Each structure stands twice: as C-alpha cells, then as structure tokens.
Amino acid sequence: MGCKTLLLTHKLETIGEMSCNPSFGGIGKGHLMREVDALDGVCGRICDLSGIQYKILNRRKGPAVWGPRAQIDRDLYKKHLQAELFRTPNLEIRAAAVEDLIVEKKDGHETCMGVLLADNTRVSSRSVVITTGTFLRGQINIGLETYPAGRMGDKPAIGLSHTLERLQFKLGRLKTGTPPRLDGRTIDYSVCSIQEGDDPPAPFSFMNERVWIEAKDQVKCYITHTSPEMERIILDNLHLDRHVQEETRGPRYCPSIESKMLRFGGRRHQIWLEPEGLNNNVVYPNGLSCTLPANLQFQMLRTIPGLEKVEMIRPGYGVEYDYIDPRQIRKTLETKPVKGLFFAGQINGTTGYEEAAAQGIVAGINAGLKVKEQPGFTIDRTEGYIGVLIDDLTRIGAPEPYRMFTSRAEFRLSLRPDNADFRLTEKAFPTGCVSRDRYDRCVKTRLARDNAMTLLKSIENPLSTWRKLFSLPATKASTRRNAFDLLSLSWPLDGDNGVTVALIDSVLGDGRLTHLTSDLQLCQRLKIESLYADAIDDQEEDAVQIRNEEALAIPDDIDYSESSMSLSNEERGKLIEARPLTIGAASRISGVTPAAILTILKYLNRRKRSAVIYS
Amino acid sequence: MYLFNDKINMLNVMKSNRFFCNSSLFLSVSCLRRYTSTRRSTIFALSSGTSRSAISVIRISGPNSVEVIRKMTRLNKENIIPRKALLRKIVDPNNGDLLDNGLVLWFPHPHSFTGEDSVELHVHGGIAVVSSIISALQKLPGFRIAEAGEFTKRAYLAGKLDATEVEGLADLLRAETETQRRQAIRQATGELAELYNKWRTSILTCMAHLEAYVDFGEDQDIGHEVLSSLQYAIQSLKSEVGSHLNDNRRGERLRNGVRVAIIGEPNVGKSSLINILSRRNVAIVSPYAGTTRDIVEISLDIGGYPIVLCDTAGLRHSVDPVENEGLRRAREAASTADLVIIVMDVSTGPAKLLQLSTKEMARLECERLNLSFNAEGNYLVLLNKLDLTSSSVSINQSAVSALSCKTGQGLEEFLVDLEKKLAELCANPMQEAPLITSSRQRHHVQVAFRHLEKFLDIIEQQGDLALAGEQLRRSAKQIGSITARGKIDTEEMLDVLFRSFCIGK
C-alpha cells in the first residue's frame, strides 16, 4: 500500500515463531486462511513452502465445509516468513519493547500519535497497530508455580497494559495452554493409528498450483488415546494445578486435558502425535494441553498407549494474559476510544494463528488507509468468515477465547474456501493491499469461470434426454436441465464425484466442452458452484437484508437514554452495552424489538447523516 | 463398469478432437448475477387489524405484486389505473374460485408507501374472506407473510419516510408488537406453545449434533453414527409435525367452511330455513312435498364463521327414481357433514319428543328417517312452524330451538345457538390465537416441514452436509418465528454443542 511501516518486536529472531501447535488451517480456520490469502496476506503462501503434511479435512461432508490444513515445520516457517518480511519494501523491523502510547487530543478526540519505546525513544506515526498476543501482562502457570512471561523464555509487556487501562479500555483476562513436547524417538507408533497426507497435497494459496513437498515425502501423524490411569492422576492432583483451579470463566469447550477429564470423565479422548519438523524429533501431542507440575505431567504421559517409554522434552504450561473487550473496537479494528489505534489478534479475545492473521490483515489495511486518509475497509457477514469473526467480536465480545467454526457463518454455503478470491480479491484491490499479479489472476479466473458457466447453461435438454445420454434408466421427468444444473447431481457414474464437466463432455460427444476439461481447478469450481447454486439463491434475500442494514451506520455519540428515544430499560441497557455500529448489528442483539430499530432509524434520520464511520 | 469404461473411451476420442471447439465464441458474456442480484420477496399482511370489521384491507408490496392484479383480479397492468379504486371479483389464483368482491388499488413503484410495486385489496371483513385471501396469496410464487414492521422498514430503506412519519409508525408498531408480545406470552403457557417449544428444542439439538460432526468430526471422536441418530430424530419430528398439520380438522373447517346439512321429513321447511339464513331465494320453496330433489349448497358467513349449508331432499319413501337419487345424496350429505340440523314440524311432531335430550331426539328422528345416527356427531334440532301451533313450546335443551321461518319468530335465538355450535366446531382445542397469527403459524409450520423433508432427502442420499445443515437452520428459523422464544442463534446452538461433546484440540 506504499506506507512507511515500522515493525517493533521484542526479539528479531522470534519473528515467525509458531508459539503453539505446529499446524495451520482446519475446519473454519482453513476458510480464514484462504481469505487472508485472497487479501494477499502471507501465511498461506508461507505454509505452501513449509508444510510437511497437507490434508483437506471434511472431504466427504461437502466443499463448503472442507477444511484445508497442514502440519508445518516450525523452522521452515520461521525461515520463510523472516525472508518474506525482511525483503518487504517500506517495512523497517526493529527489536524494541513498546512501553507507552503517545495519545493526544485532536479535534476533541483522543488520537494515537505514535509510541514510546523502553529506552524513551519517541516514534511518531499516523496509525499504530497493537498485536500483543499472549504478552500483555502475560503470566505462565505450571503446577502451583507462576511467573510473568509472554511465552516460555520471553518477557511480558507490562507497561502497555497500564497505558490501555489509563485510556479507559475495559480489560479482561483470558487463558490458554500448550501441551508438553515429546521425543519422537521414544514413542512406540506401532500401537497408534496412522494419519497420512493427501495425494496430491493441495496448496493454501490461490497463487500456487502446488506445494513445495512431494506427496510421498509427507510425514505421518499418529493417533493414540487417554487412559483411565491418566484420569486418576489428573483428578487426584487438581489441588496442584493453579491454572485449572482458577479457570473461573473458562470456555465452554475444553482447552485442556484437565477440563476434558473434569467435564467428560470416564471416556477415551483422542491424542494426536504430530511431528514438529522434518529435521528434529520433537513431537506435539495435540489434545494434551496441560498445566500440572512437570513431574506429574511426565507420570501422566507414560500411562498413554505408545508413550510407555516416552521422554518429555519440556512440560506443558498455561498462559494468562490481558485482552481488551473487543466491543470497544470498530469493524476496521480501529479502537472506539482512541483514533489511529488498532488492535488485532489475541488482544481482541481470539485464539489461534488463523483468527489472528485474519484480524492482522484487516487492521493492517485500515491502518494504511487511515494514513492515506481514505475510507475504511470492512468485510461483512455475507462476504467472508473474516466478516463473521469481526462482527461477532465487535458485537458480542469475547466471553471466552473466540475460535472460528463454520457453524458461526450463516452464509456458509457461499463463503467457501474455493471462492475466497472471487469474494475478496477484487473487493480489496482498490485499497492497494492486493498485488497486481494476484488481481490479474483473479480476474482471469473469474472470466474463465463466467464463460464456462454461460457455455454450460446454454446446453439444455429434457432430463430424460440427459438420462439417456448417461445410459441411465429412463424416467418420465420432462423438466429441462442445462449442463450447469447437471453438475450438481450425484448420478453414480464416477465414484464419489458424481457428474463432472469431463463426463458431460464425453456423453455429449460433440467436443463443445472439451477445452474446459484440462483445467481441473476450473472444473472443480464449476461443480461446487452448481452444487450450491439453488440454496444460495434461497439465501439471497437474507443476504440483501444484512447488506442493506449494514449500510446504515449508527454514530458513536448516539444517546440511547435521550427521552425522545423512549426505549425500554432493557433495550436501552443492551444497546448501551453493545454500542452497535450499524442497524444490522443492532437488530441482531437479542431483546431489541423492531420498534426499537425504527426508533433508532428515526433518530438517524433526524441527524440527516448516513456514513459516519469515518466522520 | 462397462458403462464407465465406455465413457472414458469416448472422453479420449473427444480430447483428440479438441481442435473442433471454439472457445472464443463465449468470451464476451459475463455472469455476475449471483453476486449482484437483489432478490426480495413480495410480502403481504392484513393491515386493518385482526378484530372483526366491515372492511378488511390486505396490503401487498414487492416486485411480484402485479401477480395479484394478474392472477387474482384477472386484470392486466395496462388496464388498471394507478391509485384508482376498482371493484373486481377476487379469485383464487390456482382454480379461479370466487373469494370475494372487493376493491383493488394498484400503486406502481416508486409511488407507493414502500416505494415498491404495491397492491391493496379492500375486501369484506370477516374471518372466512380474509383467511381465504391470505391463503390464496400464499400460493403465489415469491410471496410470504410480512414480518412485524417490515412495510415500514422497506419504506424507510426506499427513502420514503421522513422523521415524523417514522416516529408515528414506530409508536404504532410498538403498540402492535406489544400486543404480539402479550399474545406470545399468553400462548407461551398454552399447549400449542409447549409443542412448538418442544420442536424447537429437538431441532436445536439436531443442529448442535450435526454441526459438531461437521466442525469437529475430524478433530474429535464424533463418528458417523451421529448422522443416523440425527436421521432418526428428524424422521420422528417430521411425522409429528406432519400429523399436526394434517390432523387439524378444525383449522380446515375455518379455511374451507363448516359443512352443515339440513335434513328432515318433506315439507318441514328445510328450504325455507336456508332462504331465511341466506336472505335470498337460493332453494326453490313450494308447499308441495318433494320439491327439493338435488342438494342445494350455499356458502354463508354466520357470525364470522364460514359455513357451507346443504339443503337436502325431504326424507320419505318414494318410487320416483330421480327423487330416490336425491334421497341417497341427502343421506350422504348428512353422514359427511360437520353439523346436522334436523328440522321438524312442531305443529305435527309428537309433543313427547320435547321431554327428551337433544341427542335422544336426534337419534329417534334419524331412526324414523332411516338415517344412520352418529353418537359422536353434532346435531341441532330445529322445530319449525312455530306460527302454526297455538300451545306454547317450552324448550329446555340447549341444542333445540323453535322458530317460524315464515314470521321470523325465534330466529335470533336459533342464530345464537348456531353460532355457539360453530364456535365450538371451529375453535382450536389448544387455544389457538386469532386468525392472522394462526394462518401465520400454519405457514411457518408448513415451511418448516418441507425443510425437514429436504434434510432427510439429503442425508438419505449421503449428500452435502452443509446443504443439510442449511435445511435444519431454515426449519428452525420457521419454528422459532412462531414461538415466544424466538430464533435460534449460533451461541445457543454452541451452548448445546459444547455441553454434549468434548471439543478442544
């Protein structure tokens, strides 16, 4: 975007450090990665260079919920990411701790003018993005021990926390954890079940046709499970487990093995043994996040089938850290109380690399636009998982660490991994965040898709004729279907794939579609679009309604207690707490009636203002 | 497998012939419709309120509004003058049945309240007429019942309202939603609400299980068996919803009219009764026995309840084949009717009969007329020709009335009895809410039912689970919009999900 940018971090060598699990993507998370890539974020491309096992989850459940995922080599990821960042034009990278923000009143608004470093250096800037991860007043817990740290071996950020408090931000505490690491050479894999990668491995990025690794060179993952003995060790020693004892407002899902045992005792829980890299023996036991004292963790590990002789490289631990109530930020991720200040990632109450990346790109784009004095860039719920994520955060906050699931997206059928480029690349291009290359490629792909679709739709026959062509038993159905409609059918012709462009081409026998069949990616896109076309049409009205209502912004300084608003106490309370930014967001708050929405509309009308996000 | 191999061979042949195809032909056409279209449904509602009134106004707004003009008033857009009231026959769009005579007003966009194409129908007030028109509108493609405040919202989005107008409407709507809220709370204690809430909970649980399988199936040990238990649960829910929809005979009556058969000996005044009820001569009345040979049917609105009155041939032994056929039909009408009115001549009938209970009276008269008597059936006994008897007739049975069709004496009392009986026949045993709510409910339940069906289809064909999930979501949305509990949001679903499954990797 051409803005002069400074990246400040405690240590240069930890840039690109994957602090927790050695994998990227998954169901819902993979969707986010495809969208980040469509906006030209880096993580998808770096994963295509660093993965050691690629797998699309949910293969049999439908393309809308496919979850692209990969095991990543930590060292490769760090190496490639650093290389990418250090050669990024206009980006200066410096190791330093930020102690304070420079905030001044400008035109009556608190405005962030830059940051103050630990050595008292003032760095001035038109916009500042804070991505503190688990470092904001971070504290590590193992057993009953606790000490300040952002990550094992890294100092926390304390000063910034005080600054945010001083600026009237509402802060909260969240917790996360990481499992112990194992020495792979001491694991007996013969008792575990094996999980292999896909052949061919699919890339994350729309810019790549393939990933760096050959299918056959991919590593294997293994699955084992918990034991009753282990459950006993955990439950007997909860008094030694400070992190779990304090899990007062823990998430509804089970982040740690302790919470699994507490809430779903007497069951077998799966544990995935995931290699952390090609050139080391470290194994990450996914599902075993744990904060017991180290010696008990070791005892516990050895009760697990296959781990009877395991050596523990280092114990798991819990981290707790400050986050700000994300209802204090806008959909551009700029904070409401302080202009020019943006938050992204765990500081907003999310968990996971992908959720962080999704916010990082939006905050980055908007920080740049702010400098260029251009209107903000937002994504709504009908356009992407990123929009769902940000709308959820800014509207309902993060009472528990927020993780993406596909079931959070009501327009899941249209927000698919396969079409993230069509949804976002062209939309974002005018902001300058998308490279020309990517844009051209997207436009070209879309054109090819449109032409192919028009062609397919022009080939129309009665269903009975099609069945005859496919040598299927005749039916009386006389409805006409075009070749595009046909793609959605699961006629049992080609294994699991149903009707494909290649099959239609072969049964037509006149070569009209032959030129399409060599572009397998295009053929797959067409099939997926056909599969969901009708259902998406049915959803269109809901989508239009959301878009219309999102277009009606509510100004920050709306006074819900004003007597002319005559809202009920309940409605007023809910609106004041949520401070919705649009009519759409207001109407999604439970307990706010249509009448209240009209009252707000009336208020807006009186002020004769429409676009106020950047007033 | 032969088939499969043939296809591959053909495919190879086609590939070698690739130079035949000309892709440049299609390069110019772009297809962005899906991303740019702004489809909206056409909405309608009874806008004059649900209480009984002389005239009811039904408002329709949206892109397909003109269909009402075309299909229900049989006019073209071209020959109707905008914003001019026109008296037309209003008919059912599917079968052309006459629903009412009423005024039609056409407001082409943008000169309407909502800024969209709009139509207003001013029809006769009363449950029967409004209900028939509402259900006719539902048959038009792309039409649905409006949500609360939706007309106003559309008007606002079209820039049609200024601040004061919105203010007034907001107050109005607040009152309206307040009534709805109170109504919803009242229903929340009823059996029907309990049923809907039970359905809502089943769908919610099923959604949580399906979503757990979709979002965490690969993460956690949530296996394929989830799907078969889901299939079972939805199957039984579907049949429950289905029988609720079918079993609702009372709802049917309200929609199609209560069938009332008038039977009795020849010349007791059955046709006179019909005429006095309908205030016009539909049946031929004459003093000669056997005048009515066929069944005369007439639709009436009595006290707001729709009825279909069937006048029948007088029941007696006859040798005339035509009259015998009429008698057969009369017996059939009596046996299929919702309500049988037995007419007797009070001046000739045995006085002892009056001492009996209504049921007993009806049974004896049926026996005499050679009709089958149904102990569970609904009977009214009407003693006609009160003017011909000098002695006073004392009646102590609630379902027995005495009147004179000739003088009109006793008619008011009879109408009260009849209305009471009709109310009994049309009322929902589960305290169903007033008309508009209930036709809205029926609509939602029907749509929910269809989505459950589609869900099962997809699961049976081992189809796409995202599509299956969408069907559940839509079904839940329909049920949710009838209950006081409202819609199911993601958070509520996740609550159930995380309670039922151990999630967290």
Side-chain angles (χ1 to χ4, degrees):
Chain A
M1 295 174 70
C3 301
K4 200 174 154 210
T5 309
L6 172 67
L7 171 67
L8 289 165
T9 181
H10 282 181
K11 288 187 212 159
L12 294 189
E13 60 273 24
T14 56
I15 292 177
E17 175 88 45
M18 298 171 68
S19 340
C20 195
N21 50 310
S23 61
F24 256 92
I27 301 157
K29 288 168 174 274
H31 290 70
L32 285 173
M33 281 183 75
R34 294 283 278 178
E35 292 181 4
V36 169
D37 182 68
L39 297 171
D40 228 346
V42 296
C43 67
R45 273 181 287 135
I46 303 298
C47 284
D48 287 345
L49 294 172
S50 331
I52 50 180
Q53 189 207 69
Y54 295 84
K55 192 172 169 63
I56 292 188
L57 306 181
N58 267 356
R59 265 286 184 200
R60 302 187 62 86
K61 296 179 193 166
V65 293
W66 283 354
R69 182 184 187 277
Q71 292 302 139
I72 307 289
D73 182 304
R74 286 182 191 284
D75 299 333
L76 287 176
Y77 187 85
K78 194 194 267 185
K79 183 181 110 186
H80 290 299
L81 189 83
Q82 291 194 0
E84 173 81 25
L85 290 193
F86 285 112
R87 68 159 184 259
T88 301
N90 287 326
L91 179 65
E92 187 189 333
I93 302 178
R94 201 190 299 173
V98 173
E99 275 305 306
D100 205 350
L101 298 173
I102 306 165
V103 176
E104 288 167 19
K105 257 217 155 71
K106 222 171 110 183
D107 307 328
H109 287 289
E110 298 283 2
T111 308
C112 187
M113 314 290 288
V115 298
L116 190 69
L117 303 185
D119 62 3
N120 267 329
T121 316
R122 286 173 70 93
V123 182
S124 60
S125 168
R126 312 258 318 259
S127 49
V128 172
V129 183
I130 298 182
T131 61
T132 46
T134 60
F135 281 62
L136 206 58
R137 207 155 20 190
Q139 174 186 313
I140 283 187
N141 300 323
I142 308 184
L144 295 176
E145 270 177 64
T146 152
Y147 50 91
R151 181 162 61 190
M152 195 62 97
D154 288 315
K155 282 187 297 180
I158 309 278
L160 211 48
S161 214
H162 295 306
T163 306
L164 296 180
E165 255 169 3
R166 199 183 67 227
L167 291 169
Q168 312 284 312
F169 281 101
K170 202 170 131 197
L171 297 181
R173 282 302 258 180
L174 284 178
K175 295 185 184 206
T176 182
T178 190
R181 302 302 198 274
L182 316 176
D183 183 341
R185 290 167 302 187
T186 59
I187 296 176
D188 174 12
Y189 289 118
S190 66
V191 299
C192 307
S193 46
I194 300 175
Q195 268 198 328
E196 290 187 83
D198 286 345
D199 184 7
F204 284 102
S205 176
F206 287 100
M207 299 301 282
N208 293 330
E209 306 291 338
R210 56 184 311 276
V211 299
W212 73 290
I213 200 170
E214 294 297 327
K216 62 175 173 39
D217 297 331
Q218 295 183 94
V219 300
K220 293 184 177 67
C221 294
Y222 298 89
I223 301 177
T224 180
H225 52 82
T226 57
S227 63
E229 176 64 5
M230 167 177 180
E231 186 167 340
R232 195 189 54 76
I233 295 177
I234 290 174
L235 297 181
D236 283 356
N237 292 291
L238 283 177
H239 60 287
L240 299 175
D241 204 333
R242 183 190 159 103
H243 196 77
V244 172
Q245 282 167 25
E246 284 184 352
E247 224 164 46
T248 44
R249 39 179 286 194
R252 291 168 295 182
Y253 52 89
C254 301
S256 63
I257 192 69
E258 291 94 329
S259 58
K260 286 179 189 175
M261 296 299 178
L262 278 169
R263 285 189 230 163
F264 295 90
R267 294 194 197 179
R268 247 169 64 158
H269 301 273
Q270 289 191 62
I271 298 162
W272 291 258
L273 301 174
E274 301 173 348
E276 293 213 342
L278 286 179
N279 300 316
N280 64 46
N281 298 308
V282 184
V283 167
Y284 180 95
N286 207 336
L288 216 52
S289 179
C290 177
T291 52
L292 280 172
N295 61 327
L296 287 168
Q297 289 190 28
F298 180 63
Q299 265 184 43
M300 174 194 87
L301 285 173
R302 290 210 157 184
T303 68
I304 294 171
L307 304 187
E308 293 85 355
K309 293 179 181 156
V310 80
E311 289 302 330
M312 181 169 82
I313 296 173
R314 58 178 172 273
Y317 59 88
V319 189
E320 42 176 297
Y321 53 94
D322 280 355
Y323 79 109
I324 62 104
D325 182 343
R327 286 175 295 184
Q328 300 164 95
I329 55 175
R330 299 163 191 278
K331 292 198 172 174
T332 55
L333 300 187
E334 186 180 16
T335 67
K336 290 181 191 173
V338 182
K339 288 196 162 194
L341 180 65
F342 296 78
F343 292 153
Q346 277 170 307
I347 189 170
N348 288 336
T350 61
T351 172
Y353 304 140
E354 303 79 1
E355 287 82 354
Q359 294 168 69
I361 188 116
V362 171
I365 292 170
N366 282 301
L369 291 172
K370 186 97 191 169
V371 171
K372 301 204 279 186
E373 293 177 341
Q374 285 173 14
F377 173 80
T378 57
I379 298 171
D380 74 33
R381 297 186 78 89
T382 70
E383 294 171 315
Y385 276 67
I386 297 181
V388 174
L389 170 86
I390 293 176
D391 184 53
D392 281 350
L393 286 177
T394 54
R395 189 169 45 87
I396 48 183
E400 67 192 359
Y402 185 97
R403 177 177 157 188
M404 186 43 79
F405 314 122
T406 68
S407 46
R408 294 192 193 269
E410 52 275 71
F411 299 101
R412 172 163 78 180
L413 301 182
S414 39
L415 309 183
R416 302 184 309 264
D418 65 276
N419 66 4
D421 53 344
F422 291 170
R423 289 184 278 120
L424 299 175
T425 301
E426 283 162 279
K427 173 185 162 86
F429 183 67
T431 68
C433 73
V434 172
S435 72
R436 186 83 223 179
D437 256 15
R438 182 181 289 271
Y439 176 73
D440 289 345
R441 195 179 172 120
C442 177
V443 170
K444 205 176 122 204
T445 313
R446 186 200 278 279
L447 194 65
R449 193 276 315 256
D450 291 348
N451 290 329
M453 212 145 108
T454 312
L455 172 59
L456 286 167
K457 285 185 173 171
S458 72
I459 304 173
E460 203 183 68
N461 281 314
L463 201 57
S464 51
T465 311
W466 283 116
R467 290 185 68 93
K468 213 190 261 164
L469 282 170
F470 278 85
S471 311
L472 287 168
T475 58
K476 282 184 195 147
S478 59
T479 43
R480 295 182 72 81
R481 291 290 191 92
N482 63 46
F484 179 69
D485 298 334
L486 219 60
L487 283 176
S488 68
L489 301 180
S490 56
W491 284 351
L493 292 165
D494 186 16
D496 290 340
N497 294 330
V499 178
T500 60
V501 176
L503 269 177
I504 297 177
D505 179 48
S506 74
V507 301
L508 284 174
D510 57 5
R512 270 188 286 176
L513 300 177
T514 310
H515 64 288
L516 300 175
T517 55
S518 59
D519 189 342
L520 294 178
Q521 283 196 0
L522 175 66
C523 289
Q524 191 179 48
R525 275 183 194 261
L526 290 165
K527 178 154 180 75
I528 296 174
E529 297 217 9
S530 167
L531 193 58
Y532 294 111
D534 286 348
I536 289 173
D537 257 6
D538 290 346
Q539 278 195 331
E540 184 61 19
E541 192 188 355
D542 295 348
V544 168
Q545 189 186 343
I546 286 201
R547 272 180 233 135
N548 279 342
E549 291 179 347
E550 290 308 319
L552 293 171
I554 301 176
D556 280 348
D557 54 347
I558 184 166
D559 182 6
Y560 291 111
S561 52
E562 198 182 285
S563 60
S564 72
M565 301 267 269
S566 65
L567 294 163
S568 75
N569 278 335
E570 186 198 354
E571 285 167 344
R572 190 180 305 130
K574 285 185 166 160
L575 287 165
I576 287 173
E577 175 158 32
R579 293 226 145 258
L581 293 171
T582 63
I583 286 291
S587 61
R588 281 193 296 280
I589 298 169
S590 70
V592 174
T593 61
I597 296 300
L598 276 182
T599 307
I600 301 171
L601 285 175
K602 173 194 78 181
Y603 179 88
L604 296 186
N605 219 343
R606 214 164 38 210
R607 304 200 2 163
K608 298 255 182 258
R609 289 161 69 172
S610 53
V612 288
I613 287 190
Y614 274 98
S615 54
Chain B
M1 275 337 275
Y2 267 122
L3 178 74
F4 180 73
N5 287 336
D6 278 357
K7 297 287 178 291
I8 297 297
N9 288 339
M10 272 161 84
L11 183 68
N12 290 338
V13 174
M14 293 336 302
K15 272 183 180 156
S16 60
N17 283 339
R18 187 173 300 172
F19 61 88
F20 277 130
C21 58
N22 181 355
S23 61
S24 62
L25 252 176
F26 306 99
L27 272 174
S28 56
V29 191
S30 153
C31 187
L32 294 165
R33 192 186 63 85
R34 183 150 311 132
Y35 293 92
T36 54
S37 76
T38 50
R39 255 174 31 137
R40 333 181 76 161
S41 33
T42 299
I43 52 173
F44 58 89
L46 173 65
S47 53
S48 54
T50 51
S51 56
R52 221 185 286 162
S53 54
I55 290 174
S56 293
V57 177
I58 295 165
R59 188 151 59 160
I60 300 115
S61 173
N64 290 344
S65 297
V66 69
E67 291 296 295
V68 176
I69 304 280
R70 230 161 48 77
K71 295 195 172 137
M72 292 179 66
T73 71
R74 302 283 162 90
L75 282 168
N76 285 327
K77 206 164 41 168
E78 291 68 40
N79 47 31
I80 181 162
I81 305 160
R83 297 176 299 282
K84 278 264 160 64
L86 195 61
L87 182 65
R88 289 296 290 181
K89 286 189 169 120
I90 297 169
V91 299
D92 185 294
N94 286 6
N95 53 26
D97 284 357
L98 178 67
L99 303 173
D100 194 22
N101 287 304
L103 295 181
V104 183
L105 289 100
W106 163 238
F107 304 91
H109 81 281
H111 304 295
S112 71
F113 174 69
T114 55
E116 302 176 319
D117 279 353
S118 299
V119 172
E120 272 182 23
L121 300 175
H122 298 207
V123 298
H124 290 102
I127 299 167
V129 169
V130 172
S131 147
S132 68
I133 289 175
I134 294 274
S135 54
L137 286 167
Q138 283 180 19
K139 294 178 193 162
L140 292 170
F143 277 57
R144 65 171 170 79
I145 294 183
E147 304 291 328
E150 200 170 0
F151 285 101
T152 315
K153 207 146 99 181
R154 288 192 177 193
Y156 183 84
L157 289 171
K160 289 297 243 181
L161 296 182
D162 71 21
T164 44
E165 279 174 312
V166 181
E167 190 159 11
L169 281 161
D171 291 345
L172 192 69
L173 184 66
R174 184 179 297 280
E176 201 177 294
T177 39
E178 180 56 21
T179 331
Q180 280 170 1
R181 194 185 62 80
R182 268 195 239 120
Q183 201 168 52
I185 289 170
R186 209 171 49 231
Q187 282 179 28
T189 53
E191 270 178 75
L192 192 58
E194 220 167 87
L195 183 71
Y196 290 148
N197 275 329
K198 198 184 98 197
W199 292 351
R200 183 181 181 276
T201 311
S202 329
I203 299 180
L204 175 65
T205 312
C206 287
M207 278 169 77
H209 284 231
L210 181 73
E211 296 303 342
Y213 183 59
V214 167
D215 267 336
F216 309 103
E218 305 242 0
D219 264 26
Q220 308 300 321
D221 217 355
I222 303 169
H224 197 70
E225 65 282 354
V226 167
L227 284 190
S228 34
S229 69
L230 258 176
Q231 202 175 355
Y232 178 76
I234 294 293
Q235 200 106 54
S236 55
L237 178 64
K238 192 197 95 182
S239 50
E240 199 181 329
V241 175
S243 61
H244 177 79
L245 279 171
N246 293 333
D247 177 51
N248 210 339
R249 261 301 279 155
R250 288 178 170 82
E252 297 287 323
R253 282 186 193 131
L254 198 53
R255 275 208 320 287
N256 302 333
V258 180
R259 292 191 70 81
V260 181
I262 300 178
I263 61 159
E265 279 187 301
N267 212 19
V268 290
K270 300 182 292 295
S271 299
S272 307
L273 175 66
I274 274 215
N275 290 347
I276 199 170
L277 286 177
S278 61
R279 293 189 192 91
R280 54 191 160 125
N281 287 344
V282 284
I284 313 149
V285 190
S286 79
Y288 306 107
T291 309
T292 305
R293 291 183 170 185
D294 200 353
I295 312 246
V296 175
E297 282 195 6
I298 177 170
S299 296
L300 286 178
D301 180 326
I302 292 186
Y305 297 102
I307 65 172
V308 180
L309 267 184
C310 318
D311 185 14
T312 64
L315 295 161
R316 63 167 182 181
H317 295 288
S318 169
V319 286
D320 180 349
V322 178
E323 195 179 337
N324 270 337
E325 175 58 21
L327 292 174
R328 194 192 63 74
R329 291 191 192 177
R331 293 203 169 88
E332 196 182 287
S335 66
T336 58
D338 297 311
L339 173 65
V340 176
I341 300 179
I342 300 175
V343 185
M344 290 191 268
D345 185 339
V346 74
S347 60
T348 62
K352 264 198 281 180
L353 217 57
L354 291 178
Q355 306 306 313
L356 302 171
S357 73
T358 315
K359 272 269 147 80
E360 199 55 19
M361 233 190 265
R363 195 181 60 78
L364 285 175
E365 187 65 9
C366 282
E367 252 166 41
R368 221 163 61 83
L369 298 172
N370 199 15
L371 274 180
S372 58
F373 172 76
N374 176 7
E376 304 293 313
N378 291 292
Y379 295 92
L380 283 182
V381 175
L382 182 62
L383 306 169
N384 190 22
K385 307 197 182 177
L386 198 56
D387 53 313
L388 295 184
T389 174
S390 47
S391 56
S392 69
V393 179
S394 76
I395 296 163
N396 36 28
Q397 302 296 334
S398 65
V400 178
S401 327
L403 88 170
S404 162
C405 287
K406 207 166 165 191
T407 63
Q409 183 194 352
L411 180 64
E412 281 311 308
E413 291 86 338
F414 168 65
L415 282 178
V416 170
D417 273 4
L418 180 57
E419 223 182 290
K420 217 159 87 188
K421 196 76 193 172
L422 291 172
E424 219 174 88
L425 286 166
C426 292
N428 192 304
M430 296 182 268
Q431 305 271 309
E432 203 174 21
L435 171 83
I436 196 70
T437 320
S438 71
S439 76
R440 191 194 288 274
Q441 279 175 0
R442 172 168 285 271
H443 171 74
H444 287 309
V445 174
Q446 266 163 349
V447 179
F449 180 78
R450 281 204 294 276
H451 288 303
L452 294 179
E453 270 182 333
K454 278 195 199 156
F455 170 83
L456 289 171
D457 283 352
I458 296 172
I459 297 290
E460 263 154 38
Q461 292 163 17
Q462 306 193 342
D464 188 291
L465 293 187
L467 285 173
E470 181 62 18
Q471 296 302 332
L472 279 192
R473 204 186 275 249
R474 304 214 133 219
S475 176
K477 190 176 161 191
Q478 296 295 331
I479 298 292
S481 50
I482 3 180
T483 63
R485 304 278 304 281
K487 65 167 192 172
I488 291 174
D489 69 8
T490 313
E491 286 307 305
E492 195 180 356
M493 190 276 295
L494 289 176
D495 275 343
V496 178
L497 193 160
F498 290 128
R499 265 204 309 275
S500 326
F501 298 96
C502 181
I503 307 290
K505 188 174 168 180

